[in-house]
Amino acid sequence: KESGRLSDRRLLGVADTALYLGGLGADTVREMAHGALRSAVVTIPGVRRVVFDRREIDRLVDGWRAP
């Protein structure tokens, strides 16, 4: 597992994104990736990983806040 606080890392995997969003389920994050939350796919030969940009998550949450 990657070390460091979630707020210090730029890219978060599905499980870490769920934690960062207050404990949502990983399935909820995967569903959000098909709409509200844009994901990036990192491909290294033999490895494919879906990640989320923490700054993008923060912008999304800022948009949810009431004025």
Side-chain angles (χ1 to χ4, degrees):
K1 192 113 178 140
E2 298 171 24
S3 62
R5 295 182 322 180
L6 295 178
S7 61
D8 291 339
R9 297 196 334 241
R10 168 98 187 257
L11 298 176
L12 303 174
V14 172
D16 287 336
T17 298
L19 286 173
Y20 190 74
L21 286 170
L24 294 178
D27 289 340
T28 302
V29 172
R30 286 186 191 93
E31 288 177 24
M32 291 173 65
H34 296 288
L37 185 59
R38 292 185 294 184
S39 63
V41 177
V42 175
T43 304
I44 302 168
V47 177
R48 181 179 180 274
R49 185 160 182 213
V50 175
V51 295
F52 299 90
D53 186 328
R54 186 186 43 78
R55 291 185 283 187
E56 185 68 29
I57 297 167
D58 290 341
R59 278 192 287 274
L60 178 67
V61 171
D62 287 342
W64 289 341
R65 290 184 182 160

